[in-house]
Amino acid sequence: MDFLRPASWEEALAAKAEHPTAVPIAGGTDVMVEINFDHRRPEYLLDLNRIELLRDWEVGEENVRLGASVPYTRIMEHLRAELPGLALASHTVASPQIRNRGGVGGNLGTASPAGDAHPALLAAGAEVEVESVRGSRFIPIDEFYTGVKRNALQPDELIKTVHIKKAGGPQQYSKVGTRNAMVIAVCAFGIALHPETRTVRTGIGSAAPTPIRAKEAEEFLNAALEEGGFWDNGKIITPSVAKQFADLASAACNPIDDVRGTARYRRHAVGIMARRTLGWTWEQYRGSARTLEGAA
């Protein structure tokens, strides 16, 4: 196994073009596990730790530009207000040591359905910026996952940044594991309210071959909120609406039985998380609306 260590982003792209099978490594929290257990033996490892721009982030007027190697700890510490769903997901990632090393780019590159960042990225509607010596392109998060541990990257491309719109409304994230810490998700659920477009987006992890959205649940809820005038009147969402949303979220799953949980349990748990996170986010939205009315 050869170890490639570029000193700049341009050198990294050139190395990836010359060696398309090279496996990028930054935090190493996924790749090194596979290598240590001899599940993977790449011909080349492409070390990106010297590439400073991958560890930078920028908060703009509307979006956050998040470098692929920004550690989860930094997201928790500095981007909680702008990216609340991703910050909550970051809290659930393994241990403090791994949160200090791992980043969103690693989750995206590995594309495991159990990756903790995926539901939050789906709910927020992120875009992934990838680049090669041929140029750069943006991949909508909905189009990024193409199969079990497969993504839309071309062999010569590297993940550069993730572009995420700043939260315009409440976001939540929930995860079920076999214990409270250092655990791979049995299943996970993310939700984001987008008051400016009067829509709700979701993300589901570890309950299908790829991370997915519960699109039918979203469509139902969006219609119910609009028809009932909920965005304007700030009323509590009725139990029947919450239950239907949860049932549709559960039905969106296509899980398997494995050592962490059964398919039946995963569907049930996703429904519970969908109902609970909807309640939490809507209560936050109602609270912020009442605050604005009081200030006026």
Side-chain angles (χ1 to χ4, degrees):
M1 186 187 307
D2 289 338
F3 193 70
L4 310 175
R5 197 162 185 252
S8 68
W9 180 241
E10 291 71 25
E11 287 184 15
L13 295 179
K16 186 63 168 161
E18 185 178 355
H19 306 287
T21 61
V23 175
I25 183 169
T29 57
D30 286 326
V31 173
M32 289 309 302
V33 172
E34 293 185 331
I35 291 175
N36 288 339
F37 282 92
D38 208 24
H39 294 161
R40 194 175 193 180
R41 191 60 55 179
E43 186 178 1
Y44 299 97
L45 277 180
L46 180 60
D47 178 17
L48 301 177
N49 280 290
R50 298 170 70 187
I51 315 300
E52 190 65 34
L53 71 84
L54 297 180
R55 293 193 295 275
D56 291 339
W57 70 88
E58 180 182 1
V59 178
E61 289 188 11
E62 296 184 356
N63 298 292
V64 175
R65 183 189 60 78
L66 186 70
S69 297
V70 174
Y72 291 110
T73 299
R74 295 288 181 264
I75 297 171
M76 292 159 51
E77 291 175 345
H78 301 287
L79 295 170
R80 187 181 303 276
E82 293 83 3
L83 308 176
L86 186 57
L88 287 169
S90 299
H91 270 284
T92 74
V93 174
S95 65
Q97 294 90 338
I98 291 176
R99 290 194 289 272
N100 286 338
R101 291 287 300 170
V104 172
N107 258 192
L108 290 167
T110 304
S112 166
D116 292 314
H118 303 313
L121 295 175
L122 283 164
E127 282 191 314
V128 184
E129 183 182 4
V130 303
E131 194 168 340
S132 71
V133 293
R134 297 177 289 109
S136 63
R137 64 188 178 113
F138 288 80
I139 306 173
I141 193 67
D142 291 352
E143 301 172 13
F144 188 79
Y145 312 106
T146 60
V148 180
K149 294 190 175 183
R150 296 201 305 273
N151 59 44
L153 286 171
Q154 295 299 312
D156 62 342
E157 289 180 325
L158 293 171
I159 298 171
K160 183 179 182 181
T161 53
V162 183
H163 297 255
I164 313 168
K165 192 168 184 179
K166 290 162 65 175
Q171 300 179 357
Q172 277 290 341
Y173 177 89
S174 186
K175 172 180 171 180
V176 172
T178 53
R179 56 180 187 258
N180 288 331
M182 288 291 291
V183 64
I184 299 173
V186 174
C187 53
F189 189 85
I191 186 171
L193 305 189
H194 300 275
E196 68 283 359
T197 57
R198 297 194 173 205
T199 57
V200 177
R201 285 180 62 107
T202 62
I204 299 174
S206 203
T210 68
I212 59 170
R213 286 169 56 199
K215 292 187 178 180
E216 288 190 17
E218 293 174 14
E219 291 170 1
F220 161 77
L221 184 59
N222 291 337
L225 293 177
E226 192 63 35
E227 290 169 7
F230 286 93
W231 292 106
D232 295 320
N233 60 36
K235 291 182 179 179
I236 296 174
I237 293 177
T238 60
S240 61
V241 169
K243 182 180 185 304
Q244 181 70 3
F245 173 71
D247 289 345
L248 288 170
S250 178
C253 301
N254 183 23
I256 60 171
D257 295 332
D258 63 16
V259 295
R260 287 178 283 129
T262 65
R264 181 180 179 183
Y265 175 76
R266 285 185 162 99
R267 289 192 189 94
H268 174 73
V270 165
I272 296 296
M273 288 189 292
R275 179 174 55 79
R276 288 179 178 174
T277 55
L278 172 59
W280 296 337
T281 51
W282 193 254
E283 189 56 36
Q284 284 180 270
Y285 174 74
R286 293 178 67 237
S288 61
R290 288 194 296 268
T291 301
L292 289 174
E293 288 175 4

